[in-house]
Amino acid sequence: MPARPANVKVVTDFGAIPNDSVDDTDAIQRALDSLSPGDWLVFPAGLYLHSKSLHMRVANTVMWSEGAALRGTNASDQAIWIEADGASIYNFTLTAVTTTRKTTPWESRISIFGGSNPGKLLHNNVIRGNRVVQGGDPGTALANSAGSAGIFVYRATNFLVAENTVARSMADGIHVTAGSSNGRVLNNSVKETGDDMIAVVSYVGDPSTPASTVAANLAGLRASSLNHHITIAGNMVSGQYWGRGISVVGGENVTIENNDIDRTTHAAAIYLARETSYLTFGVHNVLVRNNTITDVETTNPAYTAGTVSATAAKTGHGAIEIYSFVFTDEAAIASLSSALSVENIEVDSNTIARTRFDGFRIGTGWGKTNSFTVKRSDGSTLARSYTGGQVGLLGLTGNKMSSIGGQAIAINNRPTAQNNIMCSANTDDGAGASSSLCSGPKPPVVPACST
């Protein structure tokens, strides 16, 4: 943690009064706008109310809590909105009024987002030591911590999200997207969220976009929208009621290590995939190491919100699920098929205990063709067919499994010598675990960055 400087600005000097029923939005925003680069705004202990998002527009400034809590009272505009390089927030307890599940950055509780310039790449932001938590009992307006993600990172580089607690956000707990890079998500506690607990998601565009358009613009899309070089380490995540534990749905050079992933009630604990339904990028160069995974789809969630039932059907994912879906017109373009593959993955020395289905499930959809209807921007619809895409160059080494409900290693695609799946020293209840489709050398992996 940084040392508090001797000279700071104090939010109460601008008219914010804690522990009353008066909205403090204007006073807090005045205080934030008064800062110069390098200034700190300190919040003395107590509860402050805000009815609009609070904007950090000045570079290299700090919001610092000394026992302060902020309550967002407007479900549609509730973010602590970081939109300047080096702007950072520490040590707050954040609660919010919520209604239904939301999707936008300003409906998240803490958001790194360029504001009026959403394409702006933000640098060197820190979100550390905060508690994004429910402020009331189930069924009340304060039962959830955020209508959208608890922490939302959009087009940021050299960022740190560390030592935060996120509980009961209605969407993802921590969501990283839009070409974010060189970031670290470290030692956070995330639980009982309404979607993925920690997610790295890279969108190509609208699912109705033709493959030829994607192929023609692929280089530019990669430069603007592909997440890369991200480390997710030391986090404790548990008990989400929808979605997955830790996911990379489009991304490159990602390390997922030393995380504790417990009670992923609906889907996979670790999910590496290319999805057609959201038109994401592929997944390449990922290291999954030394994670502890327990109780995958073996329990029902202890908490739900919105329209999700505690007894909603399970997905059937493996504890670690690895696959690529591609539209059939994408599969017909060789360069695009490769770009949208899920390849060069090392999964090493993880512990997996108690799963309803497989320990590993790899290559779902291979050799099968299905279709679904997508909606164009003009409101019309389009039926698109999809199939299992390219999955391979995987190394599964030294993973220890026990009480696996399905197969220890289920491989549904047909690896080749050039696109193999290597299995070594994996065990299931103490006995060796492999698959007849495992073969070949261990693929090289480029890890994200040092933790």
Side-chain angles (χ1 to χ4, degrees), residues 129 181 219 225 244 286 303 309 316 344 373 399 433:
S181 63
S225 302
R244 294 72 58 127
V286 176
Y303 175 81
S309 167
N344 210 31
T373 300
N399 300 286

Side-chain angles (χ1 to χ4, degrees), residues 212-291:
S212 57
T213 301
V214 175
N217 296 287
L218 188 60
L221 290 167
R222 284 175 55 86
S224 64
S225 302
L226 179 65
N227 300 311
H228 60 91
H229 292 93
I230 295 170
T231 292
I232 303 168
N235 303 282
M236 298 183 66
V237 304
S238 65
Q240 97 290 8
Y241 54 93
W242 194 257
R244 294 72 58 127
I246 297 175
S247 66
V248 180
V249 190
E252 293 186 357
N253 299 320
V254 179
T255 294
I256 302 170
E257 65 179 350
N258 300 321
N259 301 284
D260 190 318
I261 308 167
D262 179 46
R263 288 180 294 115
T264 50
T265 64
H266 176 67
I270 295 177
Y271 179 84
L272 310 177
R274 193 275 167 157
E275 294 183 344
T276 50
S277 54
Y278 289 100
L279 205 71
T280 69
F281 285 90
V283 178
H284 301 98
N285 302 342
V286 176
L287 176 62
V288 179
R289 179 173 61 191
N290 293 333
N291 300 283

Side-chain angles (χ1 to χ4, degrees), residues 55-58 79-85 87 104-106 110-123 125 152-157 177-178 180:
H55 297 262
M56 298 187 74
R57 301 186 178 106
V58 181
I80 310 303
W81 192 333
I82 297 170
E83 51 185 281
D85 291 345
T104 67
W106 48 91
I110 303 176
S111 183
I112 302 175
F113 179 64
S116 59
N117 181 11
K120 178 181 179 181
L121 181 64
L122 291 167
H123 299 73
N125 303 110
F152 189 97
V153 179
Y154 186 100
R155 195 152 172 74
T157 190
T177 193
S180 293

Side-chain angles (χ1 to χ4, degrees), residues 84-220:
D85 291 345
S88 302
I89 177 171
Y90 297 86
N91 304 330
F92 285 84
T93 294
L94 303 173
T95 61
V97 169
T98 60
T99 51
T100 57
R101 174 170 166 163
K102 307 287 187 175
T103 59
T104 67
W106 48 91
E107 292 162 330
S108 301
R109 203 61 191 94
I110 303 176
S111 183
I112 302 175
F113 179 64
S116 59
N117 181 11
K120 178 181 179 181
L121 181 64
L122 291 167
H123 299 73
N124 306 323
N125 303 110
V126 176
I127 300 170
R128 186 170 180 181
N130 302 284
R131 299 177 66 250
V132 181
V133 296
Q134 67 275 14
D137 294 330
T140 69
L142 294 170
N144 305 292
S145 64
S148 182
I151 296 173
F152 189 97
V153 179
Y154 186 100
R155 195 152 172 74
T157 190
N158 299 322
F159 63 88
L160 174 65
V161 177
E163 299 167 357
N164 303 283
T165 295
V166 179
R168 298 188 181 177
S169 58
M170 296 190 77
D172 292 347
I174 299 171
H175 183 91
V176 180
T177 193
S180 293
S181 63
N182 299 301
R184 294 173 294 163
V185 180
L186 306 179
N187 304 327
N188 301 281
S189 173
V190 184
K191 61 182 181 179
E192 296 181 348
T193 59
D195 211 324
D196 296 359
M197 288 182 276
I198 300 175
V200 174
V201 187
S202 303
Y203 299 99
V204 173
D206 186 282
S208 67
T209 308
S212 57
T213 301
V214 175
N217 296 287
L218 188 60

Side-chain angles (χ1 to χ4, degrees), residues 3-8 38-40:
R4 181 188 188 278
N7 295 317
V8 298
D39 283 349
W40 284 39

Side-chain angles (χ1 to χ4, degrees), residues 308-388:
V308 178
S309 167
T311 58
K314 311 299 184 182
T315 61
H317 289 168
I320 297 179
E321 180 84 9
I322 302 172
Y323 73 86
S324 170
F325 280 164
V326 292
F327 288 117
T328 51
D329 60 343
E330 295 173 330
I333 301 174
S335 61
L336 195 55
S337 178
S338 177
L340 302 178
S341 66
V342 176
E343 295 181 308
N344 210 31
I345 315 294
E346 181 177 349
V347 187
D348 180 64
S349 301
N350 301 280
T351 300
I352 303 172
R354 298 185 300 277
T355 70
R356 178 169 296 191
F357 303 106
D358 302 325
F360 290 87
R361 191 172 73 163
I362 298 167
T364 299
W366 183 263
K368 300 177 181 178
T369 300
N370 294 288
S371 66
F372 67 93
T373 300
V374 299
K375 191 173 183 178
R376 295 187 179 100
S377 57
D378 62 4
S380 63
T381 59
L382 171 70
R384 296 194 73 179
S385 60
Y386 66 95
T387 187

